[in-house]
Each structure stands twice: as C-alpha cells, then as structure tokens.
Amino acid sequence: MATIPNVDNKRYQGLIISIALFLSLIGALLAFTFYTSNLLERNTALIDQTNQVANSAQAVIKDLFDLDSSYGEDTKSPHIQRVLNRLEQNTTLITSSIAAIEQGGTITDAEGKSYDLPNIDSDAQANIAAANEQWTALEPKIQAYLKDADNVMVPSADELTQAVEQAKTSSLFINDSLDSLTKDVFNSAERQATTIRLIQVLGVAAIFTYFLIFVFFFVRRLRETDAEAFAARRETQEIMETVNTGLFLLDKDLNIGQQHSHALTNIIGTDTLAGENFTNVLRGRISDKDLNTTRQFIEQLYNPRVKEKLVDSLNPLNKVMLHNAHGAEGTDSRYLDFKFSRVYEDKDIARILVNVNDVSDAVYLEQRLEKERSQNDMQIEMLTTILNVNPKIINEFISNTKVHIDKMNNILKNPGSSQFELEGKLKAIYREMHSLKGEASALKLHSFTKIASDAEDKLDVLQNQGKLSGNNFLPLAVHLDDLLSLSNTIETLGERINQAVPKNTSVSKSADATKSAAPRATPASDIQKPKVTVSENPAIHDSAINMAIAGGNDIDLSDESNDDQLSFYRDFAKDIAARQGKQVQLNSQTLAQVAIPAHLKNVVKEISIQLLRNAVVHGIETPAVRQSADKPAVGTIDLEVQGDSRDLIITLQDDGQGIDYDSIRQKLITKGRFSAEAAAQLNQDELLKQLFASGFSTKDQADEDGGRGVGLDIIKAQVKEYDGKLNVNSELGQMTRFTITLPKV
C-alpha cells in the first residue's frame, strides 16, 4: 500500500481559504440566479394571469351577448349548453384569478401546474381593485342568470338582460383596468430583470476579477514553491553527489528508492540501483545465510514493537565482505558497513534509511593491528617461556619442533598411490603434529598449540572423510610454515636474550646430538600390529604390547638436572588439570636420580607427556566424582623412570577411574567401527588394541588436551620404533598403570 505523504496543512491554508471564498462567490451567484429565475417565472405567471383574466372577461361579455341574441332557443341545444358552460367557467376563473392577483396567492394553469403569484405594487393594486369593483357588479348578475338559465320552467330573460346591460357598462372599465395592470406587471418584471442582469454582470465580473487575482497570487506562490523545491532538490542532489557514504531508502518490500547518493554506485559496484530489490543486489555477493538473515533483520526494523537499538545489535551487515559483482570488471571484494535507521511519518515507520560505508581500509588496518598484536602477544608469551623455563628444555623444544616439521615435510613429499598408503601417511602426520602440540602445550606456548590444533582439525576431517587423495594434504604445508616461523622466532628471541652469556658447550653438543640422533618416522605400512597378552589376575588386567624394531644408539649422559624436568612435568599436569576442572599431584622418586641415555631423552619426554595428558584427561576424575567414590579430591599420578644395564623402564600410574572396557565397546559401536554383535564378541585384549588405534578416543568432545585418539597411538608408535615393550595394568575405579620398557642399546 502506498504511503500517504505527511502534508503541512498550514502551508496551504491561504490557498484553501481562497478556493473556499471563490466557490462561495460562485455559489452565491448561482443562488441569486436561481432566486431571480423563480421571481421572473412568477412575474411571467402574473402577466399570463392578467392576460387570461382580460381574455376571460372579453369571453364572458361575448357569451352574454350571444345568449341574449339567441334567447328563445332551446336551452338543451349544444350551442346554448356550450356557451353556458364556457360562461360559467370563465366567471369562476375571473373571480379566482382576481382574488389571487390581488392577494398574491397560488394559481393552477390548465395543465395542472401551480404558480405562486408575486405581490403587486400599489399601482397594480389600484388597477386590480378597479377591475375587481366592476367585476363585483357584473358577477352577481351573471350568477343570477346562470342559476336558472337551463331551466325552461323558470324565465331568465330579465336576469340575462340585466347581466348584458351591466356587461356593457363594466366591460370597458374591466378591460382598461386589466390592460393597465398588465402594463404595470410587465414594467415591474422588466425592472426586476434589468436589476437581475446588472447584479449578475457585477457578480460575474467580481468572480472573474477574484479569479484573476487568485490565479496571479497562486501562480506566484507556485513559482516560489517550485523555486524552493528546485533549490531543495538541487541541495539534495549536491549532497547526494558530494557525500562519501552510500545513502538510500528501503521500503517494506526491500525495494531501493529512486534517489540515492552518487557514492553508492562506487561502493556497491553496480550502476543500476534505483528501484532494484535490495536482496537481488546482494544475492551472490554475500552468503545465502547472511542474505536470509538480512531480510529477517529488516522485517524486524519495520516491527514497531521491536526496539531499534536492540535490533541494531543483530545487524548481519556489520563490516560484511561484499564479493565481486557478477560480470563486473575491476570491482574488488571489499568490506562494507551497513547502518539501518527508521524513517517515521507521524508515528508510523515509513521507510528504512540505509547508510553504507566502505570500511575495507579500516578492516585491513584492524587485521594488520590484530596480527601485530598477536605477534606481540606471541613474543611476550615466548619471552615468558624463555625466562621461566630451563634453556635446555627450550633448546630441546626448538630442536624437536624442527625434527617434527622435517618429518612431516618428508611424509608429505613421499607420494602415496594406494588408499592404505595415504591413510598411513595421514596417521604418521597426525602423530607428529600431536607430539609437537603436546610439548608446546607443556611449555604454555599457546601460539604453537593453536596452529597445531588447527592442523589437527583438518587432519581429523581427512581421517573421517573416507577416501583420500594427495591433494588433501596440500593445506597442511601452510601450518608447517607457520610452525617453523614460530620456532625460528623463539630461537632468535632466545639468542638475543642470551647473546651476552657464553654458550654452554655441553648443552650445544647435546642439542646437536639430539638433532642428529632423532629417529626418522617409519612408514605406516612397515608398522607391525602389536602382540597383546592379558594377565589372568581377576583384579588387575595386565597387558603387554611387545614391539620390535631394529636400532639403537650409544648412551650420552647429559648434565641437565632432572629436577627441572620433574618441575616441568608437574606444571604441565597442573595446567591440564586446571583446564579440565580437576586437581592432581604428580610424584616421582626416581626421575631426578636416573641417567637417561641421550638418544632416549626425547622419546622418554614425549612418552611421558602423552602418558601424563592421558592420565589427567581420561584417568583422574573430577573432585566431586572422586569424593563421591570416597577418594581424595586431589588425584595422584606417579611417574617413575628406572634403569639397569639393559633397559630403561618408564612407569606412570594414576589412582583414577581405570579402563572401562564396556565404555570402549559402546564407543566402538557409536563410531560405527563395529556392529553391536561384533563388539559384544571382543575380549579385553582386542578392546585394548582398539584403545591404542589411531583416531579412537573415549572422550566425547575434542579439545586442546585430548579427544582426538592420537596420544596412545604416538606411544604405541614410539615403543615400536625403539623395539620396546608396553604393559597396561588397570583396575576399574581404582587405578591405571602404564609400564614402558625401552632398550638402552
């Protein structure tokens, strides 16, 4: 429905009064004309009536003379009857007409039409009185004759003679009086007609003059209004052509108004905008979801019950990216900011004013500032880590990170043709990325953790998508570059801080030895499935996963203090526990005493990190659950490293909930890896194998600390690579113990 514009009636008040006065003059003239027409009609009727009286008087006298000459003729003859009837009718007519003329009464003509006779002036009154006097003398004699005129038994000659004699005397006076009356009435009517014509001429002249004056002032006012409107349009046009923002109006149907700022064409990148539908302009340039949300948002703006400030916070076009227009050349994608404001007419929402700004430069500046802020935060984070962590651990992390990146690069370079090879490639990359993330998380290097987590998200998608191709791995190269850049940054920062301090030769050598001794990842196709043996002890389930692989290095003892390593593990466990809403205490009696061979330092550290994370995330319960099970609120984790001449033994035990094999079985069914019937047939050894399978986790939601099913897979791969053994002991609701044996040579 079209909106009625709001008009200021005061502006047109003079025009309305002028038109009303003009119409009043015309109405008055028409009313006067109608009145005078009626008056003339009455005068004409009066003239006709006087003429009729005169004619009737002549007819009466003629009939009397005719009857007198025909006296003795049979009164029943047609001639006598016709004359008598006419005489009677004319006598009655004259009597009534004279009375009507004299008193200004109502008369009825032969056709039955009634007329109101006007009051006559004094001269006419004298003439009608004289005629009436003569008629009064004649009329009784006529009536006396007519009484017995057709009765043969009664003689009427005397009455007729008297009537004839009186008619001879009165006829002249009646005719003279009626002629004078007719002249007086005619003259009076003529005077009235003259007066009426004069008044009509003057009225028409006044109306015409007023019309000319009205037109003159109206045209002048119209020209002034047109000039004002033209000036306003010119000012509006100048504003619309000069303003740097896009301005336009939207109706309820989301149609753009006919007027919009010149800058809007450049901002939107479309020439034809006036009258176009707003959704058609945006379609294909923003997402369908944003387009639908925009339509709903504008509909809410037209809802008077919705607060404008409230709905403005839901604006979907706030700094939105507008993609290239279809078929438009040289039109870059840009960030636009749309502001919507209601336009009211009285209290009704008439239209929506849209203000569009190209905020691309501001957005790009914000992004650049945000990137610089992130880099500054990252450098502060790195500086904090460098200042609070043993330099040996930092150097090991840098070295290990580069080793992980090199391994992932080599894995990416290695082509895979079959689906089995691609899946093995994916698992290998996933293990390296997860190991890197674990060590970064332990050092509270959240920048590393964030990049690694993003990469794991993509790896998780690939792991669940089914069929793989070589191109699926290309986006991972970006994450590797980012990780390498961060690694170089923290290394540079460390060198700048310690540039005045002499380098510890043994530490450098140890780092070089670590880098040179870092084992390369074995292709997934070469990894043999572990052999699992289950203890028959009903209380404690003891499984041993024996993995054999060739290799070994000489032992190179480091001068690093294991007390720092224990402190590192304790901080790591507490950080994870805080994020998981748990409380833990890490204990170790042997870690600070045992000498770990140089070639096993990294693998021991990586295995310990994965075991600690697994214990906190999956083993230790929340304080509320522990207290309900009559356990201390703080969970206990024991990490022991022991060695003899042949082997190095890592043992990690927690007093948590233990391994729930029924939960593993149900998770296998939920993930679709086994049917309910097949899962029911799995024994504990087979269920434990699935627990160590890549991509399997009992955690419902993945987060920074777990849920991706990679941690135990890393441990399994490391133990296999170093030809070690893995034992898992668990008692449901009480404890879980991992025992890993690594040969020293």
Side-chain angles (χ1 to χ4, degrees), residues 483-668:
L483 290 172
L484 184 59
S485 175
L486 289 178
S487 177
N488 292 333
T489 299
I490 193 172
E491 185 176 21
T492 302
L493 289 173
E495 290 176 352
R496 287 180 181 178
I497 292 176
N498 298 309
Q499 61 183 351
V501 180
K503 292 186 178 181
N504 190 317
T505 305
S506 61
V507 172
S508 300
K509 288 183 179 180
S510 176
D512 294 338
T514 302
K515 187 180 299 185
S516 61
R520 292 189 173 272
T522 305
S525 58
D526 294 339
I527 299 177
Q528 299 179 2
K529 295 183 179 180
K531 298 175 68 177
V532 182
T533 59
V534 184
S535 172
E536 299 300 329
N537 189 331
I540 299 179
H541 183 70
D542 186 359
S543 298
I545 304 176
N546 301 312
M547 308 175 187
I549 186 170
N553 292 288
D554 295 334
I555 298 176
D556 182 13
L557 297 179
S558 169
D559 60 354
E560 177 194 2
S561 171
N562 284 340
D563 287 335
D564 293 334
Q565 196 73 22
L566 178 58
S567 178
F568 167 77
Y569 288 146
R570 283 175 173 166
D571 292 341
F572 176 53
K574 289 182 178 180
D575 289 340
I576 298 176
R579 287 193 294 269
Q580 298 295 320
K582 301 177 181 180
Q583 299 177 16
V584 298
Q585 175 64 45
L586 176 62
N587 300 319
S588 179
Q589 302 296 328
T590 58
L591 181 60
Q593 302 173 0
V594 69
I596 302 175
H599 73 284
L600 292 180
K601 274 187 172 293
N602 284 337
V603 67
V604 170
K605 184 177 182 180
E606 187 167 353
I607 290 175
S608 299
I609 288 174
Q610 299 301 333
L611 287 176
L612 276 173
R613 177 188 284 113
N614 183 76
V616 177
V617 174
H618 298 283
I620 300 298
E621 311 95 323
T622 61
V625 173
R626 291 181 61 85
Q627 289 175 347
S628 64
D630 294 330
K631 291 183 178 181
V634 179
T636 301
I637 301 176
D638 295 314
L639 174 63
E640 305 295 345
V641 180
Q642 298 173 321
D644 54 25
S645 59
R646 295 181 57 245
D647 299 319
L648 186 70
I649 303 172
I650 307 168
T651 304
L652 187 137
Q653 178 174 323
D654 65 75
D655 64 346
Q657 60 190 350
I659 298 176
D660 187 350
Y661 290 97
D662 290 334
S663 176
I664 298 174
R665 184 178 285 107
Q666 186 60 40
K667 201 70 175 181
L668 290 172

Side-chain angles (χ1 to χ4, degrees), residues 718-745:
Q718 293 283 18
V719 172
K720 180 178 178 64
E721 184 173 349
Y722 283 88
D723 196 20
K725 296 179 181 180
L726 170 62
N727 294 331
V728 181
N729 302 326
S730 180
E731 183 178 356
L732 185 61
Q734 297 299 321
M735 56 81 70
T736 300
R737 181 174 60 250
F738 288 85
T739 302
I740 296 171
T741 303
L742 298 176
K744 290 183 177 180
V745 292

Side-chain angles (χ1 to χ4, degrees), residues 125-424:
Q125 284 285 354
N127 289 325
I128 193 63
N132 189 31
E133 182 181 358
Q134 295 297 323
W135 176 252
T136 304
L138 176 61
E139 191 263 343
K141 294 178 172 56
I142 295 174
Q143 292 295 339
Y145 166 71
L146 290 176
K147 180 179 180 182
D148 296 316
D150 57 350
N151 188 352
V152 296
M153 300 301 294
V154 178
S156 57
D158 293 339
E159 288 80 0
L160 176 60
T161 301
Q162 292 178 8
V164 170
E165 290 300 326
Q166 184 64 42
K168 291 177 181 179
T169 303
S170 301
S171 61
L172 293 175
F173 290 104
I174 292 174
N175 288 335
D176 290 341
S177 299
L178 291 176
D179 287 341
S180 299
L181 175 63
T182 301
K183 290 179 181 179
D184 289 340
V185 172
F186 181 80
N187 291 333
S188 176
E190 191 174 25
R191 288 194 301 271
Q192 289 179 350
T194 301
T195 304
I196 290 170
R197 284 194 296 271
L198 178 61
I199 293 174
Q200 287 178 335
V201 170
L202 293 176
V204 170
I207 291 173
F208 184 72
T209 303
Y210 183 83
F211 177 75
L212 292 178
I213 296 173
F214 169 75
V215 169
F216 173 76
F217 283 102
F218 177 74
V219 170
R220 188 176 70 175
R221 181 61 182 273
L222 186 62
R223 291 178 62 184
E224 292 175 355
T225 304
D226 288 343
E228 293 174 358
F230 177 76
R233 285 196 299 270
R234 184 175 61 187
E235 292 175 359
T236 302
Q237 184 176 3
E238 290 175 353
I239 293 173
M240 287 298 191
E241 290 179 353
T242 306
V243 70
N244 293 326
T245 61
L247 296 174
F248 62 93
L249 293 171
L250 277 181
D251 60 16
K252 287 186 177 181
D253 297 325
L254 274 70
N255 293 320
I256 299 175
Q258 295 299 321
Q259 300 294 327
H260 60 78
S261 63
H262 180 73
L264 182 65
T265 301
N266 297 327
I267 293 174
I268 299 294
T270 303
D271 295 332
T272 56
L273 289 172
E276 290 291 324
N277 191 274
F278 189 48
T279 56
N280 293 335
V281 174
L282 296 180
R283 183 170 286 109
R285 306 185 68 182
I286 62 176
S287 67
D288 292 340
K289 180 181 179 181
D290 286 342
L291 187 62
N292 185 52
T293 305
T294 299
R295 187 184 299 108
Q296 296 175 354
F297 170 75
I298 297 176
E299 289 176 356
Q300 290 301 314
L301 280 176
Y302 271 103
N303 186 353
R305 292 177 296 181
V306 177
K307 298 293 184 181
E308 185 174 0
K309 292 183 179 180
L310 175 64
V311 75
D312 184 62
S313 62
L314 305 176
N315 183 4
L317 298 183
N318 182 24
K319 296 181 181 179
V320 64
M321 173 175 276
L322 202 69
H323 300 290
N324 294 339
H326 298 298
E329 296 182 359
T331 304
D332 298 328
S333 296
R334 63 193 72 184
Y335 288 93
L336 302 184
D337 188 30
F338 291 78
K339 299 295 184 184
F340 298 86
S341 303
R342 289 170 172 168
V343 178
Y344 289 90
E345 287 184 357
D346 293 332
K347 295 183 180 180
D348 298 328
I349 303 172
R351 283 169 293 276
I352 300 299
L353 175 65
V354 185
N355 189 334
V356 190
N357 285 289
D358 188 342
V359 293
S360 300
D361 294 339
V363 172
Y364 293 143
L365 178 60
E366 288 178 4
Q367 292 176 349
R368 186 163 63 251
L369 292 175
E370 182 62 28
K371 185 176 180 180
E372 292 177 357
R373 188 181 301 110
S374 299
Q375 290 177 347
N376 291 336
D377 292 343
M378 175 195 67
Q379 291 184 359
I380 292 174
E381 173 190 281
M382 291 180 177
L383 286 172
T384 302
T385 302
I386 292 171
L387 294 174
N388 290 280
V389 179
N390 190 305
K392 174 64 176 179
I393 297 178
I394 297 295
N395 291 332
E396 284 182 354
F397 171 75
I398 296 172
S399 177
N400 292 341
T401 298
K402 292 182 177 180
V403 170
H404 287 306
I405 293 173
D406 287 341
K407 285 185 178 181
M408 285 186 279
N409 269 326
N410 292 331
I411 294 170
L412 288 174
K413 293 177 183 178
N414 183 26
S417 56
S418 67
Q419 192 68 19
F420 177 78
E421 291 175 345
L422 291 174
E423 289 178 358

